Amino acid sequence: MLSVKEAQGKILNFKIRVKKKEIPIISSLGLVLAEDIISSDDIPVNDNSAMDGFAVKAGDTFGAGKISPKKLKLLEEDIPAGYVPSAVLKSGYCMSIMTGAPTPGGCDCVVMKEDTKKEGDCVLVYKECRAGENIRYKAEDIKKGSMVLKKGKEIYPADIGVMASVGISRVSVYVSPLIGIITTGSELVDVRGKLTAGKVRDSNSYSLSAQVKEMGTEYIRYGIVKDDKQALEEKILEALAECDVLLLSGGVSVGDYDYVKDILIKIGANLVFWRVNQKPGKPLAFLTYKDKFIFGLPGNPVSVMVCFEMYVRPLIRKMMGSSRLFRKTITAKAACDMDHKKGRANFTRVIIKKKGDDYFFSTTGMQGSGILTSMVLADGIALFSEDMGDIKKGSKIEVYLIKRG
Ligand code: AMP
Ligand code: MG
């Protein structure tokens, strides 16, 4: 049986040809940049005020204090945002200026309005102002011709703001794959269905859809298919005609009604591997069909989510053009002794706590593959690898952080 790393290697070794498309920046959140973003402007385009207040010469404010204000003559021309002043400031004078407005020639600092008082056509300044204070200099954020965002970067809200600030309204991104989701099992009822004896509500198509959605890519839910060979074949062919990656939940183990793998092979899919030496998720199957990828995920609700995290998500990220395929990991110490049978990898759902400089993990409680609440509680998935025996308190383990934020 394959080890976790071998199975991941087999999936991620496939060469992927990522396509590009140009879209409005507002639609690019979560996607990956397919071009470098170069600024054709200095940002800001000119020196400007960081405060509402008065444009002054720093030297004129020296010695100013609460009981010894400096008196400056106020020029009639004021400077609202967006207006370019015509006056040049001379010693002994000041100009009223608003946040973001261009500073006038001769001015080397802006006194906050809160540190002044108007008196007739003069302004009393109650605080010294250093040269450069409250001025935002031309190009201090972004220099004309500089690279602001690099190709291959995942797009976050601030990136979209930065692109807008340098005048980019449309951006080239990698095309994300379309993911198809089919859940199989004669025991399954829809979320609105009544839970009578022997029935199970289909949660997997929801958790999988949400895991895909969280990645910023699109999916189609094909609903529940009974353990029926013909119905399965029809639905699988329908999904493969539309999607780049097909996720099937259930029916991939050794049960009498587990038809998924056989049907996929029958329609011409190539079985890359079946079964991984791991818990949960041992019956995981991975296949290719033309240029498409298929995962046969074990039906247990935790197995489905863990296998998505460890195998499906990295492949989708690769298909999205990202170079960071896996979740961030930390090394955490076991908060207590934990049982682990050597010879098989275990994905333990854990809660992380920080004490001093160290991270400690403890399990979320019951670890059965049907205990979906163990995923709800989990900050991360700790990988107890095949070669580890019982985990001693304080041992260091790699934990994949699965929660956002
Ligand atoms: P299977 O892999 O088909 O043998 O299913 C294993 C277990 O997972 C069974 O107890 C199923 O009832 C459960 N299961 C399968 N599919 C789903 C699903 N879509 N939602 C929730 N539980 C499921
Ligand atoms: Mg089943």
Side-chain angles (χ1 to χ4, degrees):
M1 217 183 309
L2 290 181
S3 71
V4 172
K5 298 281 177 216
E6 283 166 342
Q8 287 170 333
K10 281 192 185 286
I11 294 167
L12 297 175
N13 268 344
F14 277 92
K15 279 228 155 31
I16 309 282
R17 242 209 254 123
V18 262
K19 287 195 216 106
K20 300 174 187 178
K21 65 175 175 183
E22 204 185 274
I23 54 169
I25 53 171
I26 197 67
S27 309
S28 70
L29 184 66
L31 301 178
V32 177
L33 266 178
E35 61 175 338
D36 293 331
I37 302 293
I38 313 282
S39 177
S40 48
D41 291 309
D42 283 325
I43 309 289
V45 70
N46 48 249
D47 298 350
N48 67 88
S49 176
M51 291 287 172
D52 293 322
F54 296 92
V56 299
K57 284 183 175 297
D60 286 348
T61 70
F62 289 170
K66 276 210 172 87
I67 46 165
S68 54
K70 294 285 172 183
K71 196 177 205 174
L72 299 174
K73 196 140 174 49
L74 182 63
L75 290 184
E76 213 169 279
E77 183 186 8
D78 77 333
I79 320 170
Y83 171 82
V84 180
S86 58
V88 173
L89 207 62
K90 287 201 272 270
S91 185
Y93 288 84
C94 67
M95 289 174 84
S96 174
I97 191 167
M98 310 304 138
T99 305
T103 45
C107 146
D108 62 1
C109 68
V110 171
V111 186
M112 281 168 65
K113 196 165 185 175
E114 292 85 334
D115 295 325
T116 65
K117 195 166 120 195
K118 255 175 108 179
E119 197 181 74
D121 58 355
C122 288
V123 172
L124 297 173
V125 177
Y126 290 91
K127 206 174 164 194
E128 275 190 6
C129 192
R130 281 174 288 106
E133 205 171 327
N134 298 325
I135 292 184
R136 304 189 285 215
Y137 287 103
K138 174 178 173 163
E140 73 175 13
D141 189 10
I142 297 166
K143 283 201 174 38
K144 186 174 175 168
S146 67
M147 192 199 292
V148 234
L149 301 171
K150 209 167 157 29
K151 180 175 163 174
K153 185 190 188 305
E154 196 175 324
I155 300 169
Y156 290 97
D159 302 318
I160 293 177
V162 157
M163 287 192 270
S165 76
V166 300
I168 305 271
S169 63
R170 295 177 66 82
V171 64
S172 178
V173 295
Y174 293 115
V175 178
S176 297
L178 178 61
I179 317 297
I181 298 166
I182 299 176
T183 42
T184 77
S186 296
E187 75 280 32
L188 300 179
V189 292
D190 179 70
V191 63
R192 289 168 293 262
K194 211 167 160 25
L195 209 53
T196 50
K199 298 293 180 192
V200 172
R201 277 202 197 95
D202 165 31
S203 60
N204 289 350
S205 74
Y206 288 90
S207 39
L208 280 173
S209 301
Q211 284 180 300
V212 172
K213 191 168 179 182
E214 194 193 24
M215 298 185 66
T217 190
E218 302 291 326
Y219 62 87
I220 300 176
R221 276 177 58 224
Y222 290 93
I224 301 165
V225 184
K226 296 223 175 318
D227 296 318
D228 172 274
K229 287 183 182 173
Q230 198 182 330
L232 267 174
E233 183 172 335
E234 280 167 17
K235 196 53 88 182
I236 287 170
L237 286 172
E238 181 191 336
L240 284 172
E242 297 176 306
C243 300
D244 304 297
V245 178
L246 176 58
L247 308 180
L248 287 135
S249 124
V252 80
S253 191
V254 293
D256 290 345
Y257 302 93
D258 290 341
Y259 300 137
V260 166
K261 193 163 48 69
D262 292 346
I263 301 280
L264 287 168
I265 290 168
K266 184 185 162 221
I267 63 160
N270 164 51
L271 183 69
V272 179
F273 66 77
W274 176 51
R275 302 213 286 189
V276 182
N277 190 15
Q278 63 186 9
K279 197 178 170 190
K282 177 174 151 190
L284 174 68
F286 179 63
L287 305 94
T288 56
Y289 177 81
K290 298 178 183 165
D291 59 346
K292 297 158 194 266
F293 298 105
I294 307 168
F295 287 90
L297 302 165
N300 279 305
V302 176
S303 313
V304 112
M305 291 196 78
V306 167
C307 286
F308 183 94
E309 278 293 337
M310 305 310 292
Y311 300 99
V312 183
R313 192 176 184 277
L315 178 65
I316 295 179
R317 284 189 66 86
K318 186 171 176 183
M319 295 174 86
M320 290 174 81
S322 176
S323 49
R324 195 164 52 81
L325 305 186
F326 286 92
R327 292 275 195 186
K328 240 184 218 163
T329 60
I330 55 167
T331 303
K333 292 181 175 173
C336 59
D337 290 346
M338 292 171 203
D339 294 340
H340 178 242
K341 210 161 72 191
K342 205 173 179 161
R344 178 177 59 192
N346 202 301
F347 298 117
T348 305
R349 281 79 69 205
V350 298
I351 294 166
I352 304 283
K353 288 213 169 93
K354 194 165 186 210
K355 275 189 214 146
D357 288 338
D358 289 323
Y359 290 104
F360 289 86
F361 70 89
S362 49
T363 77
T364 52
M366 279 167 70
Q367 293 288 304
S369 56
I371 310 291
L372 192 49
T373 49
S374 71
M375 284 300 286
V376 175
L377 295 172
D379 297 315
I381 297 172
L383 174 56
F384 296 175
S385 57
E386 297 88 337
D387 55 339
M388 290 175 186
D390 287 341
I391 310 293
K392 290 263 159 280
K393 180 179 173 175
S395 344
K396 289 181 178 172
I397 303 281
E398 189 177 31
V399 179
Y400 292 80
L401 299 174
I402 59 167
K403 260 198 190 145
R404 274 198 291 180

